[in-house]
Amino acid sequence: MTAIPVAVLVSGGGTNLQALLEALRRSPVAQVARVIASRPDAGALERAQRAGVSTVVLAHPDDPAEVVTATGDARLVVLAGYMKRIPPAAVARLRWRLINIHPALLPAFGGPGMYGRRVHEAVLASGAMLSGATVHYVDEEYDRGPIIAQWPVPVRRDDTPDRLAARILEVEHRLLPQVVEALVRLGVPERPVRLVASGSAFVVAEQPSVRFGDEG
Ligand code: GRF
């Protein structure tokens, strides 16, 4: 079996990219084939180069054709700390093949302006006892696409935004590679799937069999 090519889009330091590179290095099912940055100074580019993965910096991240072309033959496209909006025409072309990781339990604490430290500040200000990481499909609205998998992280009484961020980031580094491997093993389904943790892996969640009124 040849490994499925995965593209990763980045804007920042790229610790999630690093986790993917390490987890998939010897994977028979998936490999990071290319890394695409929205800016030339993204630290993630260096990580990709060190791993021998080809890189490209987008000249116009808001040009859908350029974004789609950059993803090449990738069957799955992962946003890992990508700070630009994916133009709607590119979202449409990559439908159910484009996923993102967010450092909170969506749909809470997501949406425009909710990134980085701000997410964790908002969680602490709300008094929520639980935060975590979410991997979800990207659609035309920020952080609103169907959820694929989540990993909860309890909020501690003495948490600061930085401490909470650090614990969630550790979880992200485990969640993202597992979801990527699971989706690839499923053949990157053409319809949204929802995964749940089962032992040390993520598996497809059973659909709840709820019937309404006179249906069926
Ligand atoms: C992560 O917290 C991710 O959830 C968010 O951006 C951050 C990226 O961090 N979308 P890194 O560049 O992978 O270190």
Side-chain angles (χ1 to χ4, degrees):
M1 181 190 180
T2 39
I4 298 290
V6 174
V8 184
L9 275 83
V10 294
S11 301
T15 64
N16 277 290
L17 168 67
Q18 190 69 44
L20 281 173
L21 288 168
E22 283 165 22
L24 301 182
R25 188 174 295 148
R26 275 176 233 95
S27 166
V29 293
Q31 65 161 6
V32 178
R34 50 183 66 215
V35 170
I36 302 157
S38 61
R39 42 192 295 175
D41 59 349
L45 286 170
E46 234 180 271
R47 296 180 191 269
Q49 285 150 9
R50 243 183 282 138
V53 174
S54 68
T55 59
V56 59
V57 178
L58 296 171
H60 305 288
D62 47 1
D63 174 359
E66 189 182 338
V67 173
V68 172
T69 304
T71 64
D73 61 354
R75 292 268 306 283
L76 183 66
V77 180
V78 181
L79 308 189
Y82 187 69
M83 298 298 289
K84 290 279 180 188
R85 179 162 190 249
I86 300 290
V91 171
R93 281 288 300 279
L94 300 169
R95 184 83 63 201
W96 314 135
R97 296 196 290 123
L98 185 58
I99 67 174
N100 178 49
I101 184 151
H102 183 80
L105 293 180
L106 293 175
F109 308 108
M114 272 293 185
Y115 58 87
R117 207 166 190 280
R118 293 187 195 185
V119 176
H120 309 293
E121 283 169 353
V123 169
L124 293 180
S126 77
M129 294 167 74
L130 206 57
S131 191
T134 301
V135 179
H136 65 98
Y137 292 99
V138 174
D139 70 6
E140 286 77 1
E141 273 186 84
Y142 273 114
D143 300 329
R144 284 285 166 207
I147 290 169
I148 305 171
Q150 295 188 308
W151 192 314
V153 172
V155 176
R156 294 182 186 156
R157 272 180 182 281
D158 59 349
D159 258 337
T160 61
D162 288 344
R163 273 190 229 149
L164 181 58
R167 289 207 312 288
I168 291 176
L169 196 59
E170 272 178 35
V171 159
E172 292 182 46
H173 296 162
R174 296 166 70 185
L175 177 66
L176 186 58
Q178 292 205 33
V179 170
V180 166
E181 283 220 55
L183 288 177
V184 167
R185 280 184 197 280
L186 292 167
V188 190
E190 285 170 16
R191 288 278 167 269
V193 290
R194 189 176 273 250
L195 304 173
V196 289
S198 165
S200 59
F202 276 82
V203 298
V204 178
E206 296 290 331
Q207 293 296 320
S209 57
V210 178
R211 289 195 173 162
F212 297 98
D214 296 322
E215 270 178 50

